[in-house]
Amino acid sequence: MNLQLNGALLLEQIRILGELGADPRHGGRTRIALTDAEKAGRDQVVAWMNELGLTVRIDRIGNIFGTLPSSSGEQRAPLMMGSHIDTVTNAGALDGCYGVLAGLAVVRAWRDAGVLPSRPITVAAFTNEEGVRYQPDMMGSLVYAGGLAVDAALDTLGTDGTRLGDELARIGYAGDLEPGAIVPHEYLELHIEQGPVLEAEGLQIGVVENLQGISWQQVTVSGSANHAGTTPTRLRHDAGFVACAAVAEARAIARDSAGTTLATTGCIAFEPNVINVIPRRATFTVDLRDPDESRLCQAEQRFAEVLDRLAQDEGVSVSREQLVRFEPVVFDAGLADAIEASARRLDLSHRRMTSGAGHDAQMIARIAPAAMIFVPSRGGISHNPREHTDDAALIEGAEVLLDVVVRRLS
Ligand code: HGY
Ligand code: MN
Ligand code: MN
């Protein structure tokens, strides 16, 4: 079957969606989950789904599904493609959005050819993949895969004190479909690599076989405020010092892992946060990742020991809250083989690789065969307005996605 991808329209839709939530001051766009800016993004994707004549359904956690019916009419489990359209703060235009819009481009190729697939094709935009406002990340796909009860997710309180379910209702995306009601036959996610590997090796396609484990925790250090000028070091109970020392130790844990473990502190705050007062309290996050579960456990254990030692030496107390803990995921070998075969058929250089970032595919892998396709990120940059992938590479990735789907459905 000779289906044609409309690459120009895909690039145009990426550009249009990328303008929603644009931040002229700091660059990029910010469409944090369930904000008005993200609602605008949702509304735009739903409008494009309706233009394609898809059956649009919203589930109770706000996941959006657009389905192209099959030629047989019978209700077979759909082949699903998807990703997310929520962003981090000052994000690029491609993270997540590329996969959702490329899915629509694949469906459009069927529509343009005037043929229907042998089984339904569903394009999904999952709620709150980034987990910036409400933890955990990949929340919508986690609920959809049965990893988190929808009512618990709806009761989640955000970093801004809002209740997720209230915000979902406020933006008009509190759907009635039970999460998981549409069980995919298999799932494909096209995504930018967000890392340096493909570009460094001059390769066009990543065949993503697995995805590393993720551990997010929030640490609270409670010490004693005191005068910065009169308090001798030996008498201090400096929460700020312990937090900073712990962050430095987390980097040492990553460095000692020969590069497999990654440690990131993305958020840190001191109280009272004034220049001449020793902080009485410090809160900070630690994001630990490793493709190997036992190494990730070792990193968590070592960090806990470091924190306890620092706390004891400084005479402060520490508490840790686990925000996210996802084990590494291995994707479906058959789908990975199919992706590799399509890259080869399209004469695109490729390699098998691990995903450093979390993705909705890792959740869908719990309920259906799933795999991912990567395209290069310029400079390996993402979660940054400078995120970029060349137009030709974006279209190549979508061509691979189309080729895999056509062959899986023929
Ligand atoms: O954190 C992640 O890896 C993803 O971007 N949510
Ligand atoms: Mn993403
Ligand atoms: Mn992301």
Side-chain angles (χ1 to χ4, degrees):
M1 189 178 304
N2 182 25
L3 300 185
Q4 295 299 315
L5 188 90
N6 185 336
L9 184 50
L10 168 59
L11 297 175
E12 174 66 1
Q13 290 193 339
I14 289 171
R15 187 190 60 74
I16 292 169
L17 185 55
E19 287 174 355
L20 300 178
D23 179 347
R25 187 152 167 255
H26 297 295
R29 67 285 305 142
T30 297
R31 286 199 309 272
I32 303 293
L34 312 187
T35 59
D36 291 342
E38 203 238 350
K39 170 183 170 46
R42 286 168 169 264
D43 293 348
Q44 178 61 80
V45 168
V46 168
W48 283 332
M49 287 180 168
N50 287 327
E51 281 175 16
L52 283 167
L54 305 187
T55 303
V56 180
R57 299 295 306 274
I58 315 288
D59 75 9
R60 291 183 57 210
I61 195 66
N63 294 321
I64 301 169
F65 302 99
T67 299
L68 177 72
S70 75
S71 53
S72 66
E74 63 178 284
Q75 281 311 311
R76 304 174 71 193
L79 182 149
M80 184 179 284
M81 295 168 284
S83 197
H84 62 95
I85 63 163
D86 67 301
T87 74
V88 296
T89 305
N90 298 119
L94 299 171
D95 178 0
C97 303
Y98 172 47
V100 174
L101 297 181
L104 293 184
V106 167
V107 166
R108 186 173 301 106
W110 294 85
R111 278 297 193 212
D112 290 348
V115 294
L116 287 176
S118 59
R119 83 173 44 250
I121 298 176
T122 295
V123 179
F126 291 105
T127 294
N128 188 34
E129 189 277 345
E130 294 294 359
V132 166
R133 184 184 183 192
Y134 303 100
Q135 280 98 34
D137 58 346
M138 286 78 72
M139 184 191 273
S141 49
L142 178 63
V143 168
Y144 175 84
L148 174 64
V150 61
D151 290 325
L154 293 171
D155 284 338
T156 303
L157 294 181
T159 51
D160 56 2
T162 58
R163 177 180 170 275
L164 187 147
D166 298 342
E167 284 293 277
L168 197 59
R170 184 183 67 80
I171 66 167
Y173 279 88
D176 57 0
L177 183 69
E178 275 307 312
I182 303 175
V183 182
H185 173 67
E186 48 196 12
Y187 177 85
L188 286 162
E189 182 163 353
L190 173 60
H191 207 288
I192 52 173
E193 179 199 337
Q194 299 180 290
V197 173
L198 291 174
E199 182 185 61
E201 298 182 13
L203 299 173
Q204 294 164 296
I205 296 293
V207 181
V208 187
E209 294 182 297
N210 63 326
L211 188 147
Q212 65 180 344
I214 302 174
S215 166
W216 284 2
Q217 49 187 314
Q218 169 142 310
V219 181
T220 302
V221 185
S222 301
S224 307
N226 212 326
H227 196 296
T230 59
T231 312
T233 301
R234 60 185 172 77
L235 297 180
R236 292 183 178 213
H237 305 292
D238 184 341
F241 162 75
V242 168
C244 295
V247 171
E249 290 281 353
R251 168 62 66 89
I253 291 169
R255 194 184 50 235
D256 294 351
S257 74
T260 62
T261 302
L262 297 174
T264 310
T265 287
C267 311
I268 193 164
F270 291 163
E271 291 175 23
N273 199 36
V274 295
I275 189 167
N276 58 357
V277 177
I278 298 168
R280 62 169 174 262
R281 177 188 292 254
T283 53
F284 63 100
T285 59
V286 179
D287 175 326
L288 295 171
R289 308 203 190 192
D290 196 297
D292 178 88
E293 175 61 12
S294 62
R295 285 200 305 258
L296 185 55
C297 290
Q298 284 165 17
E300 288 174 316
Q301 180 59 34
R302 194 173 148 196
F303 180 73
E305 289 161 2
V306 154
L307 205 52
D308 290 344
R309 175 173 50 77
L310 287 166
Q312 190 172 353
D313 292 353
E314 186 71 12
V316 300
S317 65
V318 294
S319 64
R320 291 181 294 118
E321 180 192 356
Q322 189 82 45
L323 300 174
V324 163
R325 184 59 168 91
F326 298 132
E327 294 194 6
V329 168
V330 176
F331 289 130
D332 181 75
L335 270 179
D337 291 347
I339 293 166
E340 186 165 54
S342 288
R344 193 174 293 121
R345 216 177 354 259
L346 295 172
D347 197 23
L348 297 170
S349 58
H350 57 276
R351 60 160 285 171
R352 295 200 172 222
M353 61 193 296
T354 298
S355 174
H359 296 288
D360 293 308
Q362 76 186 87
M363 302 307 173
I364 310 304
R366 298 182 180 200
I367 56 172
M372 295 187 73
I373 306 163
F374 276 172
V375 293
S377 291
R378 186 174 63 188
I381 292 170
S382 185
H383 285 189
N384 179 316
R386 290 170 40 228
E387 178 184 278
H388 175 84
T389 298
D390 292 344
D391 288 353
L394 293 172
I395 292 173
E396 285 161 0
E399 293 283 8
V400 171
L401 183 66
L402 174 60
D403 191 74
V404 173
V405 169
V406 166
R407 290 174 189 280
R408 300 302 282 184
L409 296 182
S410 55

